[in-house]
Structures are given as structure tokens and as C-alpha cells.
Amino acid sequence: MYSINRQSARLGKLINISDLNYLAIQKANLSTLDSLYNKIVSLPAVHYIEDSMSAFHDFTGLPWCGTIVLFTAGLRTAISLPSQITSHKTGAKRYFLMKELNEKLMPELSKMTSYRVDRGDFSKEEAKKRFDMASRKLYSEKIIEKNCHISKMFLPLILQIPVWVFNSIAIRNIVMMRETRERFSTVPVEERFLGMATEGTLWFQNLTTPDPTYVLPMVFGATFAFNIFMMSGRRVSTMPAASDSSRGQKMETYQNWLTKFLYCIAFIMIPLSSMQPSALTLYWATSSFMGVIINLILMSPKFRSLVRIPKTPNLSSTPYSDLRNRIAALLRQ
């Protein structure tokens, strides 16, 4: 009996120790997440955007709603338009590069390799290895020569995503007065908050609360989806009509699945943005609307010629008519 009680007491201690260890681990994890979160919202880049936006607000004398719209439009244009031009140029260069490789250079390399095999210089297995090595080297040399590495095609995303995230955090910091003690003592945090609370417009007079009509979230979701719609119709491919049909089908399947995934993101962002302060939703909607404007500008053959984007055979000479027809076909479904 004594041994049973003793074992029970020991087991109870072990359970208590395990519970304490579990709670300690949970607390440590929570503290780590809190610490990471606080570091992100207190980054110098975030504070720089807060102060720049506030300085623009004070300099122009515009209400905060106008400040957010104009500041976002200018920043999005300054970052997105040049990077989009670079992306389109890179896509066009890669089109012609792959066309040259597929139609001229690779067939010549394959013919030369076959000749060496027929002459008995090396076996078919060795010939395949040499061909693969030579083709990769040739591809790399051509990429350097044409200055069209595929990473440049993703330059808009590489630049826009950090800016979008930091701007979103900066606006949330202002409307939630989420600042450090040092910032409270050196920056007019309360004044900025009161400005946000009273300098809205139309149906969203208070920028610190969510839009009660859901109009801004719907505008954001619609412009986000329209950007995806326009991008899905862009066919500045990294390779021309593929001689390898299976590879072309795989690329087409991948693009279709990516488009569907992005449409899902656009749909999810509507309820998500409806729970955010109106100032943040206004920023998202303005940024997305400017994306539509920039994409429409980049569709213009005259503008593309002006900024010297090489013309590829798979680009339409009537892009706006084609877009209108695509929209009409979608509405008829």
C-alpha cells in the first residue's frame, strides 16, 4: 500500500512538472512570436514610411484620405511602372532568345553531336552528356549576352511585395497608435490618429474603423481580380510556340492553376479587408487600382514602342479591343 501511494505521488509530480514545462514552452514560443511581431512593426523602413506619409500630409494640406490616395498612386507608379517595363523587355528578349535556340542553335549543335557519334568519337551516352553540357553552357552565355535572366521578369513582385507590406504596417501603426515609448515622445502619434479618425470622406469618414458599407473591400477585390484577368491574357512567353508540345501543355496547365489560385486570393481578400481599418483598405484599393492603370498603359503598342519594348509576334496590335472582347465573352458565360 505504501509503495502504491509513493508511486502515485511520484507520478503526480511528474505530471505537474510536465505541465509546467509545457506552459513554459508555450510562453517562450509566444514571447518569441511577440518579439518578432514587435520587431517587424518597429522596423526603420516602416517608421520611415509613416513619417514620409505624414510629411506629405502636412506639406500638401490634404485630408488623410487624399494623402493616402495620392501618396500610394505616386509610389506605386514610381516603383511598378519602371519594373514592369523591365519585366516586359526581359520577356520579349527571352522570346527571341528561345526562338533562336530552338530553331537554329540547338539543331546545329544536335547535328554536330550526331556527326561525332557517327564518326566514332564517342558513344551515344557520352554524346548525350556532352550535348546537355554544351546546350546549358550555350544557354547561359546567351542569357548573359542578351541580359535577360528570368529573375528580371519577377522584378515587379520583388520590389512591390516589400513596399506593400511595409506600407500596410505603417498605416496600421498610425491608425492603431502602435508605437514604442520613444516614438510617442518624439512623434505626434495622437495627432496623426485623430487626423485619421476625422479626415475621411463620403461614407468612410473615420479611417480608423472598417468600412461599414463594404464598398472599399469590394473595390479592392474587383480591381485585384481584374489585374489577374489582364495578366492571364498576357502572352509574352519566355519561349515561342513550343516545338515540344508536352512542355507547352505543362506550362499552360501551370499558368491556369496559378491564375485560379490568384483568383482565390482576390476573393479571400474581400472579407479580410472588410475587417481592417478603412485607411488600410483604401491603401490596398488604391494600389490595386493603380496596378490596373499601369497594366492598361503597358498594353498600348505606342507606349511599348516609346519605351523600346521589343515587339513579339504573339502580341496583338489591338490589345484594348481584345480585352473588351474577353470581358464581353466572360459576361456572356
Side-chain angles (χ1 to χ4, degrees):
M1 186 73 175
Y2 173 75
S3 61
I4 293 174
N5 291 336
R6 190 175 179 181
Q7 289 177 0
S8 299
R10 186 178 298 174
L11 182 61
K13 287 181 180 180
L14 288 174
I15 292 173
N16 290 335
I17 290 171
S18 298
D19 289 343
L20 289 173
N21 288 337
Y22 175 76
L23 291 173
I25 291 170
Q26 290 293 98
K27 187 176 181 180
N29 289 337
L30 184 61
S31 299
T32 301
L33 290 174
D34 285 344
S35 176
L36 180 61
Y37 178 77
N38 290 330
K39 286 179 180 178
I40 292 174
V41 300
S42 302
L43 285 171
V46 173
H47 291 328
Y48 178 78
I49 292 172
E50 290 178 47
D51 296 339
S52 298
M53 195 177 293
S54 297
F56 184 76
H57 168 263
D58 297 339
F59 176 77
T60 59
L62 291 168
W64 268 107
C65 59
T67 298
I68 292 172
V69 170
L70 285 184
F71 186 85
T72 304
L75 188 63
R76 180 68 190 263
T77 302
I79 292 174
S80 183
L81 186 58
S83 62
Q84 286 279 16
I85 291 172
T86 299
S87 176
H88 281 252
K89 284 183 177 180
T90 303
K93 287 179 181 179
R94 291 182 67 87
Y95 179 96
F96 289 114
L97 169 62
M98 296 306 297
K99 184 178 179 67
E100 182 184 8
L101 286 172
N102 290 338
E103 295 181 2
K104 182 180 178 182
L105 300 180
M106 289 304 176
E108 289 180 1
L109 183 61
S110 178
K111 188 184 297 183
M112 187 183 301
T113 305
S114 298
Y115 172 75
R116 297 287 298 277
V117 171
D118 293 340
R119 204 172 64 176
D121 292 344
F122 35 72
S123 64
K124 289 185 178 180
E125 292 75 13
E126 181 67 19
K128 187 179 183 306
K129 291 180 181 178
R130 287 175 177 267
F131 176 81
D132 291 342
M133 289 176 59
S135 60
R136 283 195 295 267
K137 183 180 179 182
L138 180 61
Y139 175 79
S140 299
E141 289 175 351
K142 284 292 181 179
I143 289 291
I144 295 171
E145 177 189 333
K146 303 293 185 181
N147 190 22
C148 58
H149 193 276
I150 195 169
S151 61
K152 296 178 71 174
M153 291 190 65
F154 299 99
L155 187 62
L157 288 177
I158 295 170
L159 294 178
Q160 289 173 34
I161 290 177
V163 172
W164 187 86
V165 171
F166 289 157
N167 270 284
S168 299
I169 296 172
I171 292 172
R172 281 185 65 87
N173 282 354
I174 295 175
V175 299
M176 298 179 68
M177 292 195 295
R178 188 173 52 190
E179 301 288 358
T180 61
R181 290 183 180 180
E182 182 182 352
R183 291 275 295 175
F184 264 97
S185 63
T186 58
V187 174
V189 177
E190 296 92 341
E191 182 181 334
R192 293 176 181 178
F193 171 80
L194 290 173
M196 284 282 192
T198 57
E199 295 178 14
T201 186
L202 301 176
W203 66 90
F204 51 100
Q205 294 290 331
N206 187 347
L207 295 173
T208 66
T209 59
D211 177 9
T213 65
Y214 296 97
V215 172
L216 285 177
M218 292 298 294
V219 170
F220 170 49
T223 51
F224 192 168
F226 192 59
N227 273 309
I228 298 167
F229 180 75
M230 285 193 291
M231 292 299 291
S232 67
R234 176 188 169 190
R235 285 295 179 263
V236 182
S237 176
T238 56
M239 47 186 274
S243 56
D244 185 350
S245 59
S246 63
R247 187 175 180 182
Q249 289 174 357
K250 286 180 181 179
M251 284 297 296
E252 188 71 23
T253 302
Y254 170 76
Q255 289 177 350
N256 289 337
W257 277 107
L258 179 60
T259 301
K260 291 177 182 178
F261 173 75
L262 292 174
Y263 277 130
C264 290
I265 296 293
F267 179 78
I268 292 170
M269 290 301 289
I270 295 175
L272 180 62
S273 60
S274 69
M275 297 182 287
Q276 304 302 319
S278 297
L280 185 58
T281 312
L282 179 62
Y283 164 68
W284 288 349
T286 305
S287 179
S288 189
F289 179 77
M290 288 307 301
V292 172
I293 298 299
I294 290 169
N295 279 322
L296 288 172
I297 290 172
L298 285 165
M299 290 173 63
S300 168
K302 290 183 179 179
F303 180 80
R304 295 176 70 87
S305 176
L306 179 66
V307 295
R308 298 180 180 180
I309 298 175
K311 185 177 181 180
T312 55
N314 58 350
L315 280 181
S316 171
S317 58
T318 57
Y320 299 117
S321 298
D322 295 342
L323 179 62
R324 186 168 57 249
N325 293 336
R326 287 182 64 213
I327 295 172
L330 182 65
L331 293 176
R332 287 195 297 267
Q333 289 181 355

Coordinates of all heavy atoms in Angstrom, one line a residue, residues 266-322:
A266 N -7.8 36.8 -54.4 CA -8.6 38.0 -54.5 C -9.9 37.9 -53.8 O -10.4 38.9 -53.2 CB -8.8 38.3 -56.0
F267 N -10.6 36.7 -53.9 CA -11.8 36.5 -53.2 C -11.7 36.5 -51.7 O -12.5 37.2 -51.0 CB -12.4 35.2 -53.6 CG -13.8 34.9 -53.0 CD1 -14.9 35.5 -53.4 CD2 -13.8 34.0 -51.9 CE1 -16.1 35.2 -52.8 CE2 -15.0 33.7 -51.3 CZ -16.2 34.3 -51.7
I268 N -10.6 35.9 -51.2 CA -10.4 35.9 -49.7 C -10.1 37.3 -49.2 O -10.4 37.6 -48.0 CB -9.2 34.9 -49.4 CG1 -9.6 33.4 -49.7 CG2 -8.7 35.0 -48.0 CD1 -8.5 32.5 -49.7
M269 N -9.4 38.1 -50.0 CA -9.0 39.4 -49.5 C -10.2 40.3 -49.3 O -10.1 41.3 -48.5 CB -8.1 40.1 -50.5 CG -6.7 39.5 -50.6 SD -5.8 39.5 -49.0 CE -5.5 41.2 -48.8
I270 N -11.4 40.0 -49.9 CA -12.6 40.9 -49.6 C -13.0 40.8 -48.2 O -13.1 41.9 -47.5 CB -13.7 40.5 -50.6 CG1 -13.3 40.8 -52.1 CG2 -15.0 41.2 -50.3 CD1 -14.3 40.3 -53.1
P271 N -13.3 39.6 -47.6 CA -13.7 39.6 -46.2 C -12.6 40.0 -45.3 O -12.8 40.6 -44.2 CB -14.1 38.1 -46.0 CG -13.5 37.4 -47.1 CD -13.4 38.3 -48.2
L272 N -11.3 39.7 -45.7 CA -10.2 40.1 -44.8 C -10.1 41.6 -44.8 O -9.9 42.2 -43.7 CB -8.9 39.5 -45.4 CG -7.6 39.8 -44.7 CD1 -7.7 39.2 -43.3 CD2 -6.4 39.2 -45.4
S273 N -10.2 42.3 -45.9 CA -10.1 43.7 -45.9 C -11.3 44.4 -45.2 O -11.2 45.6 -44.7 CB -9.9 44.3 -47.3 OG -11.0 43.9 -48.1
S274 N -12.4 43.7 -45.2 CA -13.6 44.3 -44.6 C -13.4 44.4 -43.0 O -14.2 45.2 -42.4 CB -14.8 43.5 -44.9 OG -14.8 42.2 -44.3
M275 N -12.5 43.7 -42.5 CA -12.2 43.7 -41.0 C -11.1 44.7 -40.7 O -10.8 44.9 -39.5 CB -11.9 42.3 -40.5 CG -13.0 41.3 -40.7 SD -12.6 39.7 -40.0 CE -11.4 39.1 -41.3
Q276 N -10.5 45.3 -41.7 CA -9.4 46.2 -41.5 C -9.8 47.7 -41.4 O -10.9 48.0 -41.9 CB -8.3 46.1 -42.6 CG -7.8 44.7 -42.8 CD -7.2 44.1 -41.6 OE1 -6.4 44.8 -40.9 NE2 -7.5 42.8 -41.3
P277 N -9.0 48.6 -40.8 CA -9.4 50.0 -40.8 C -9.5 50.5 -42.2 O -8.8 50.0 -43.1 CB -8.1 50.6 -40.1 CG -7.5 49.5 -39.3 CD -7.8 48.3 -40.0
S278 N -10.4 51.4 -42.4 CA -10.7 52.0 -43.7 C -9.4 52.5 -44.4 O -9.3 52.5 -45.6 CB -11.8 53.0 -43.7 OG -13.0 52.5 -43.2
A279 N -8.5 53.1 -43.6 CA -7.3 53.7 -44.2 C -6.5 52.6 -44.9 O -6.0 52.8 -45.9 CB -6.5 54.3 -43.0
L280 N -6.4 51.4 -44.3 CA -5.7 50.3 -44.8 C -6.3 49.8 -46.1 O -5.7 49.5 -47.1 CB -5.5 49.2 -43.8 CG -4.6 48.0 -44.2 CD1 -3.2 48.5 -44.6 CD2 -4.5 47.0 -43.1
T281 N -7.7 49.6 -46.0 CA -8.4 49.2 -47.2 C -8.3 50.2 -48.3 O -8.3 49.8 -49.5 CB -9.9 48.9 -46.8 OG1 -10.0 48.1 -45.6 CG2 -10.6 48.1 -47.9
L282 N -8.4 51.4 -48.0 CA -8.2 52.5 -49.0 C -6.9 52.4 -49.7 O -6.7 52.5 -50.9 CB -8.4 53.9 -48.4 CG -8.3 55.1 -49.3 CD1 -9.3 55.0 -50.4 CD2 -8.3 56.4 -48.5
Y283 N -5.8 52.1 -48.9 CA -4.5 52.0 -49.5 C -4.5 50.8 -50.4 O -3.9 50.8 -51.5 CB -3.4 51.8 -48.4 CG -2.1 51.2 -48.9 CD1 -1.3 52.0 -49.7 CD2 -1.7 49.9 -48.5 CE1 -0.1 51.5 -50.2 CE2 -0.6 49.4 -49.0 CZ 0.3 50.2 -49.8 OH 1.4 49.6 -50.3
W284 N -5.0 49.6 -50.0 CA -5.0 48.4 -50.8 C -5.8 48.7 -52.1 O -5.3 48.2 -53.2 CB -5.6 47.3 -50.0 CG -4.7 46.7 -48.9 CD1 -3.4 47.1 -48.7 CD2 -5.1 45.8 -47.9 NE1 -3.0 46.4 -47.6 CE2 -4.0 45.6 -47.1 CE3 -6.3 45.1 -47.6 CZ2 -4.0 44.8 -46.0 CZ3 -6.3 44.3 -46.5 CH2 -5.1 44.1 -45.7
A285 N -6.9 49.3 -52.0 CA -7.8 49.5 -53.2 C -7.1 50.5 -54.2 O -7.1 50.3 -55.4 CB -9.1 50.1 -52.8
T286 N -6.4 51.5 -53.6 CA -5.7 52.5 -54.5 C -4.6 51.8 -55.2 O -4.3 52.0 -56.4 CB -5.2 53.7 -53.7 OG1 -6.3 54.3 -53.0 CG2 -4.6 54.7 -54.6
S287 N -3.8 51.0 -54.4 CA -2.6 50.3 -55.0 C -3.1 49.4 -56.1 O -2.5 49.3 -57.2 CB -1.9 49.6 -53.9 OG -0.8 48.9 -54.4
S288 N -4.2 48.7 -55.9 CA -4.7 47.7 -56.9 C -5.2 48.4 -58.1 O -5.0 48.0 -59.2 CB -5.7 46.8 -56.2 OG -6.1 45.8 -57.1
F289 N -5.9 49.6 -57.9 CA -6.4 50.4 -59.0 C -5.3 50.9 -59.8 O -5.4 50.9 -61.1 CB -7.3 51.5 -58.5 CG -7.8 52.4 -59.5 CD1 -8.9 52.0 -60.3 CD2 -7.3 53.6 -59.8 CE1 -9.4 52.8 -61.3 CE2 -7.8 54.4 -60.8 CZ -8.9 54.0 -61.5
M290 N -4.2 51.4 -59.2 CA -3.0 51.8 -60.0 C -2.4 50.7 -60.8 O -1.9 50.9 -61.8 CB -2.0 52.5 -59.0 CG -2.4 53.8 -58.4 SD -2.9 55.0 -59.7 CE -1.4 55.1 -60.7
G291 N -2.5 49.5 -60.2 CA -2.0 48.3 -61.0 C -2.7 48.1 -62.3 O -2.2 47.8 -63.3
V292 N -4.1 48.3 -62.2 CA -4.9 48.3 -63.4 C -4.5 49.3 -64.4 O -4.3 49.0 -65.6 CB -6.4 48.4 -63.0 CG1 -7.2 48.5 -64.3 CG2 -6.9 47.3 -62.2
I293 N -4.3 50.6 -64.0 CA -3.9 51.7 -64.9 C -2.6 51.3 -65.5 O -2.4 51.5 -66.7 CB -3.8 53.0 -64.1 CG1 -5.2 53.4 -63.5 CG2 -3.3 54.1 -65.0 CD1 -6.3 53.6 -64.5
I294 N -1.6 50.9 -64.7 CA -0.3 50.6 -65.3 C -0.3 49.5 -66.3 O 0.3 49.5 -67.3 CB 0.7 50.3 -64.1 CG1 1.0 51.6 -63.3 CG2 2.0 49.7 -64.7 CD1 1.7 51.3 -62.0
N295 N -1.1 48.4 -66.0 CA -1.2 47.3 -66.9 C -1.9 47.8 -68.2 O -1.5 47.3 -69.3 CB -2.0 46.2 -66.3 CG -1.2 45.3 -65.4 OD1 -0.1 45.0 -65.7 ND2 -1.8 44.9 -64.3
L296 N -2.9 48.7 -68.1 CA -3.5 49.2 -69.3 C -2.5 50.0 -70.2 O -2.5 49.9 -71.4 CB -4.7 50.0 -69.0 CG -6.0 49.3 -68.4 CD1 -7.0 50.2 -67.9 CD2 -6.5 48.4 -69.5
I297 N -1.7 50.8 -69.5 CA -0.7 51.6 -70.2 C 0.3 50.7 -70.9 O 0.6 50.9 -72.1 CB 0.0 52.5 -69.2 CG1 -0.9 53.6 -68.7 CG2 1.3 53.2 -69.9 CD1 -0.3 54.5 -67.6
L298 N 0.7 49.6 -70.3 CA 1.7 48.7 -70.9 C 1.1 47.9 -72.0 O 1.9 47.3 -72.8 CB 2.2 47.8 -69.8 CG 3.2 48.4 -68.8 CD1 3.5 47.6 -67.6 CD2 4.6 48.7 -69.5
M299 N -0.2 47.9 -72.1 CA -0.8 47.2 -73.3 C -0.7 48.0 -74.6 O -0.8 47.4 -75.7 CB -2.3 46.8 -73.0 CG -2.4 45.8 -71.9 SD -4.2 45.6 -71.4 CE -4.9 45.0 -73.0
S300 N -0.5 49.3 -74.4 CA -0.5 50.2 -75.6 C 0.7 49.9 -76.5 O 1.8 50.1 -76.1 CB -0.5 51.6 -75.1 OG -0.3 52.5 -76.2
P301 N 0.5 49.6 -77.8 CA 1.6 49.4 -78.7 C 2.5 50.7 -78.8 O 3.7 50.6 -79.0 CB 0.9 49.1 -80.0 CG -0.4 48.5 -79.7 CD -0.8 49.3 -78.4
K302 N 1.8 51.9 -78.8 CA 2.6 53.1 -78.9 C 3.5 53.3 -77.7 O 4.7 53.7 -77.8 CB 1.6 54.3 -79.0 CG 0.9 54.4 -80.3 CD 0.0 55.6 -80.4 CE -0.7 55.7 -81.8 NZ -1.6 56.9 -81.8
F303 N 3.0 53.0 -76.5 CA 3.8 53.2 -75.3 C 4.9 52.2 -75.3 O 6.1 52.5 -74.9 CB 2.9 53.0 -74.0 CG 3.7 53.2 -72.7 CD1 4.0 54.4 -72.2 CD2 4.2 52.0 -72.1 CE1 4.8 54.5 -71.1 CE2 4.9 52.2 -70.9 CZ 5.2 53.4 -70.4
R304 N 4.7 50.9 -75.7 CA 5.7 49.9 -75.7 C 6.8 50.3 -76.7 O 8.0 50.1 -76.5 CB 5.1 48.6 -76.1 CG 4.1 48.0 -75.1 CD 3.4 46.7 -75.6 NE 4.4 45.6 -75.6 CZ 4.6 44.9 -74.6 NH1 4.0 45.0 -73.4 NH2 5.5 43.9 -74.7
S305 N 6.4 50.9 -77.8 CA 7.4 51.4 -78.8 C 8.2 52.5 -78.2 O 9.4 52.6 -78.4 CB 6.7 51.8 -80.1 OG 7.6 52.3 -81.0
L306 N 7.5 53.4 -77.5 CA 8.2 54.6 -76.9 C 9.2 54.2 -75.9 O 10.3 54.8 -75.9 CB 7.1 55.5 -76.2 CG 7.6 56.7 -75.5 CD1 8.2 57.7 -76.5 CD2 6.5 57.4 -74.7
V307 N 9.0 53.1 -75.1 CA 9.9 52.7 -74.1 C 10.8 51.6 -74.6 O 11.6 50.9 -73.8 CB 9.2 52.3 -72.8 CG1 8.6 53.4 -72.1 CG2 8.3 51.1 -73.0
R308 N 10.7 51.3 -75.9 CA 11.6 50.3 -76.6 C 11.5 48.9 -76.1 O 12.4 48.2 -75.9 CB 13.0 50.8 -76.5 CG 13.3 52.1 -77.2 CD 14.7 52.5 -77.1 NE 14.9 53.8 -77.8 CZ 16.1 54.5 -77.8 NH1 17.2 53.9 -77.3 NH2 16.2 55.6 -78.4
I309 N 10.2 48.5 -75.9 CA 10.0 47.0 -75.6 C 9.9 46.3 -76.9 O 9.1 46.7 -77.8 CB 8.7 46.8 -74.8 CG1 8.7 47.6 -73.4 CG2 8.4 45.4 -74.6 CD1 7.4 47.5 -72.7
P310 N 10.8 45.3 -77.2 CA 10.8 44.6 -78.4 C 9.4 44.0 -78.7 O 8.7 43.5 -77.9 CB 11.8 43.5 -78.3 CG 12.7 44.0 -77.2 CD 11.8 44.8 -76.3
K311 N 9.0 44.2 -80.0 CA 7.7 43.6 -80.4 C 7.8 42.2 -80.8 O 8.6 41.8 -81.6 CB 7.1 44.4 -81.6 CG 5.7 44.0 -82.0 CD 5.2 44.9 -83.1 CE 3.8 44.5 -83.5 NZ 3.3 45.3 -84.7
T312 N 7.0 41.3 -80.2 CA 7.0 39.9 -80.4 C 5.8 39.5 -81.3 O 4.7 40.2 -81.2 CB 6.9 39.1 -79.1 OG1 5.8 39.5 -78.4 CG2 8.2 39.3 -78.3
P313 N 5.9 38.5 -82.1 CA 4.7 38.1 -83.0 C 3.5 37.7 -82.2 O 2.4 37.8 -82.8 CB 5.3 36.9 -83.7 CG 6.8 37.0 -83.6 CD 7.0 37.6 -82.3
N314 N 3.6 37.3 -81.0 CA 2.4 36.8 -80.3 C 1.7 38.0 -79.6 O 0.7 37.7 -78.8 CB 2.8 35.8 -79.2 CG 3.8 36.2 -78.2 OD1 4.4 37.3 -78.4 ND2 4.0 35.5 -77.2
L315 N 2.1 39.2 -79.8 CA 1.4 40.4 -79.2 C 0.4 40.9 -80.2 O 0.7 41.1 -81.4 CB 2.4 41.5 -78.8 CG 3.1 41.3 -77.5 CD1 4.1 42.5 -77.3 CD2 2.2 41.1 -76.4
S316 N -0.8 41.3 -79.8 CA -1.9 41.8 -80.6 C -1.6 43.3 -80.9 O -1.1 44.0 -80.1 CB -3.2 41.6 -79.9 OG -4.2 42.3 -80.7
S317 N -2.0 43.7 -82.1 CA -1.9 45.1 -82.4 C -3.1 45.9 -82.0 O -3.2 47.1 -82.0 CB -1.8 45.3 -84.0 OG -2.8 44.7 -84.6
T318 N -4.2 45.2 -81.5 CA -5.4 45.8 -81.0 C -5.7 45.3 -79.6 O -6.7 44.6 -79.4 CB -6.6 45.5 -81.9 OG1 -6.7 44.1 -82.0 CG2 -6.4 46.1 -83.3
P319 N -4.8 45.5 -78.6 CA -5.0 44.9 -77.3 C -6.2 45.3 -76.5 O -6.8 44.5 -75.8 CB -3.7 45.4 -76.5 CG -3.3 46.7 -77.2 CD -3.7 46.4 -78.7
Y320 N -6.7 46.6 -76.7 CA -7.8 47.1 -76.0 C -9.1 46.5 -76.5 O -10.0 46.1 -75.7 CB -7.9 48.6 -76.0 CG -6.7 49.3 -75.4 CD1 -5.8 50.0 -76.1 CD2 -6.4 49.1 -74.0 CE1 -4.7 50.6 -75.5 CE2 -5.3 49.6 -73.4 CZ -4.4 50.4 -74.2 OH -3.3 51.0 -73.6
S321 N -9.2 46.3 -77.8 CA -10.3 45.6 -78.4 C -10.4 44.2 -78.0 O -11.5 43.6 -77.7 CB -10.3 45.7 -79.9 OG -10.3 47.0 -80.4
D322 N -9.2 43.5 -77.9 CA -9.1 42.1 -77.5 C -9.6 42.0 -76.0 O -10.3 41.1 -75.6 CB -7.7 41.6 -77.6 CG -7.3 41.5 -79.1 OD1 -8.2 41.6 -79.9 OD2 -6.1 41.5 -79.3

